[in-house]
DNA sequence: GCCGTTCTTGATGCTTCAGTCCATAACCAT
DNA sequence: ATGGTTATGGACTGAAGCATCAAGAACGGC
């Protein structure tokens, strides 16, 4: 019935996500985008509408993929403590390997705090992570793996906040010892 | 001997700092700057050299002023725990009042992680904060205000990281309850 | 094989960007 | 008061920004 699209939309969003993730919104130009996606600007606009909308799609992708992975790991975990430890260490390693990346959520929250769509998406995802951690801690408590005196809701908020901090200091090129100390300090609240 | 400068350099840096702080580097144009500082672009370039250099001066100002205040508060404190609590609550209040601001250090680290001058300055300031907290905790430990089993160095790294996280979630418009829970969770590591 | 539809490319438009330059103004030492 | 010197402000430059558009290409249905 009509000419089919030559590029894969999902793959294009992935590539845009990687670009926005590394460079941020303002520092990523349309030229950068069309070069990376391998399409002309006309195609880009026909498919996504605007730079802002493409950014929103990229952020959405990140939330469902990366935050989704954390959530899935916590929900399937039998040992919350070690699941958290594993996740935090993985983040530390990622930051040491590619410090210019960091966490797209954090980058989005800080660079685009004037854009309510971005802020809402970030806030929602943080809430989701908070809820997942809280749920996991409640299950641990019910099982006796977490002292009855602890407050899962409070710990979840604290841990969610700490995670964001990790991604910030990771961008400041601190060394492995710093990040690992920070992680053990944070996890000590569970004891 | 020659015509004197009509504007105050320090005040100009302060105003530039406020602008960069709220909008970030890329989203602040020279027009924004000249309008806010009340000077022509010629004067701006004669005094500061370039947008990047002005940004560096602004960041430096922030580090010595805001991080300096935290450091001074911790060094003069007799009760580290309550000094930390006060500082963290003040940050939470600032984030609730002006979420688009956040922490300039965090914004700089995330937006300009490709610029080594920025990264170095941020990293150095984090190290300074870390060292100050560690020192305060050591003194508390010597005085018997902190359990001997705790590791001041580890706690300092953890708390420094947590503080950065606070400033991120603060930008995501979480509510007061969230921030206060997070703070009490973090402070519980000192017990 | 032709038509209507949708896609692709890249030239184009118009705005905004960072940074420079110049004519003028303000100062101080003499 | 005059001259040497430096600051001022805004017009200006060239580059780069985002977004649109037109001409043609690739498809499916008939």
């Amino acid at each position: 019935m009509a000419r089919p699209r030559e590029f894969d939309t999902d793959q294009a969003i992935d590539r845009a996500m990687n670009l926005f993730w590394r460079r941020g919104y303002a520092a990523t130009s349309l030229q950068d985008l069309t070069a990376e996606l391998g399409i002309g600007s006309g195609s880009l606009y026909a498919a996504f509408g605007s730079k802002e909308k493409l950014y929103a799609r990229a952020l959405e992708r990140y939330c469902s993929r990366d935050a989704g992975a954390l959530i899935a790991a916590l929900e399937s975990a039998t040992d919350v403590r070690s699941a958290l430890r594993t996740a935090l260490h993985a983040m530390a390693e990622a930051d040491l390997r590619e410090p210019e990346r960091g966490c797209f959520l954090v980058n989005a929250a800080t660079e685009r705090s004037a854009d309510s769509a971005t802020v809402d998406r970030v806030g929602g995802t943080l809430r989701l992570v908070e809820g997942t951690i809280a749920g996991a801690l409640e299950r641990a408590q019910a099982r006796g793996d977490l002292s009855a005196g602890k407050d899962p809701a409070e710990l979840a908020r604290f841990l969610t906040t700490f995670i964001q901090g990790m991604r910030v200091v990771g961008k400041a090129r601190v060394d492995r010892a710093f990040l690992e100390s920070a992680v053990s300090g944070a996890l000590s609240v569970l004891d």
Side-chain angles (χ1 to χ4, degrees), chain A:
Chain A
M1 189 106 118
R3 179 173 177 175
R5 185 161 284 160
E6 286 182 9
F7 63 95
D8 180 61
T9 308
D10 274 347
Q11 188 186 29
I13 294 176
D14 273 335
R15 292 192 174 175
M17 180 189 77
N18 276 293
L19 222 43
F20 283 132
W21 188 352
R22 269 183 279 125
R23 303 193 197 173
Y25 177 79
T28 302
S29 71
L30 277 184
Q31 254 193 341
D32 295 334
L33 286 167
T34 53
E36 172 76 20
L37 308 199
I39 63 178
S41 56
S43 299
L44 192 154
Y45 276 83
F48 302 109
S50 72
K51 188 187 170 186
E52 275 202 304
K53 285 179 187 164
L54 176 54
Y55 182 82
R57 299 281 293 272
L59 180 56
E60 206 167 347
R61 170 71 48 93
Y62 180 86
C63 289
S64 62
R65 207 197 57 179
D66 288 62
L70 174 62
I71 289 170
L74 286 170
E75 282 182 338
S76 69
T78 51
D79 179 357
V80 189
R81 205 173 311 232
S82 72
L84 271 172
R85 188 189 323 276
T86 302
L88 289 173
H89 276 116
M91 288 177 202
E93 288 306 321
D95 285 337
L96 290 164
R97 207 182 321 116
E98 287 187 285
E100 78 281 8
R101 257 196 148 100
C103 168
F104 193 8
L105 262 188
V106 170
N107 301 351
T110 54
E111 184 185 1
R112 295 185 57 72
S113 65
D115 177 53
S116 62
T118 300
V119 169
D120 288 350
R121 175 106 244 151
V122 172
T125 306
L126 290 181
R127 289 291 188 185
L128 218 57
V129 170
E130 175 204 355
T132 307
I133 296 181
L137 290 176
E138 276 161 21
R139 291 196 305 278
Q141 205 169 39
R143 228 182 298 113
D145 288 346
L146 178 69
S147 140
K150 303 283 183 185
D151 178 354
E154 179 182 284
L155 290 177
R157 288 172 168 179
F158 152 71
L159 285 167
T160 303
T161 304
F162 174 78
I163 289 172
Q164 313 313 312
M166 279 259 303
R167 310 317 299 262
V168 172
V169 301
K171 285 204 117 180
R173 315 288 197 284
V174 299
D175 55 27
R176 172 173 274 107
F178 190 111
L179 290 172
E180 289 184 349
S181 282
V183 169
S184 21
L187 290 174
S188 74
V189 300
L190 301 179
D191 300 329

